[in-house]
Amino acid sequence: LALLPPPDVFAFTGFFAPIANPPAVNTPKAGASVPIQFGLGGDFGSGIFVAGFPASRPMTCGGTGSTSALVPTQTAGNSGLTYDPATDTYTYPWRTEKGWAGTCRELVVRLTDGTEQRAWFSFK
């Protein structure tokens, strides 16, 4: 099965539950694995992220983003980015840190088409 070359711009269809798109703030438990699910309008393989992404950074709770330095995310366990052709959905298992409890972070997903998608989190 040959993969199609990436389009000029992926057809990003937003983050899916349990993640809500901004301006909503997501409230997962710190230290939990958060499934970041989204669609791109097809299967473009596993090389969809720019190197060092997804990444996250602290942000002011109640704010609208951050200018802090981005830190590459870690995946949960031995898992990584997967694609489900039945739902046309990518899933990235983001491993969060227990020390983030009571803080807010911005998740930045930079794709190889040059676009960025963001989601905001307030950790319990």
Side-chain angles (χ1 to χ4, degrees):
L1 177 67
L3 295 177
L4 299 172
D8 290 336
V9 176
F10 292 120
F12 184 83
T13 52
F15 294 113
F16 304 139
I19 303 304
N21 295 286
V25 176
N26 300 281
T27 56
K29 181 179 178 185
S33 174
V34 178
I36 308 298
Q37 298 180 317
F38 57 92
L40 296 179
D43 181 358
F44 299 98
S46 60
I48 59 170
F49 298 133
V50 170
F53 286 85
S56 74
R57 59 184 162 199
M59 66 180 273
T60 302
C61 292
T64 56
S66 174
T67 58
S68 299
L70 287 162
V71 177
T73 59
Q74 300 295 316
T75 57
N78 293 327
S79 55
L81 179 69
T82 57
Y83 176 76
D84 181 349
T87 59
D88 189 27
T89 303
Y90 280 94
T91 302
Y92 178 83
W94 180 27
R95 185 183 79 207
T96 66
E97 303 292 333
K98 288 182 181 179
W100 294 348
T103 69
C104 295
R105 293 189 80 80
E106 178 180 45
L107 177 72
V108 179
V109 176
R110 189 172 294 163
L111 300 168
T112 56
D113 66 354
T115 61
E116 278 188 359
Q117 310 301 329
R118 298 165 189 272
W120 299 332
F121 297 84
S122 176
F123 289 94
K124 297 184 263 182

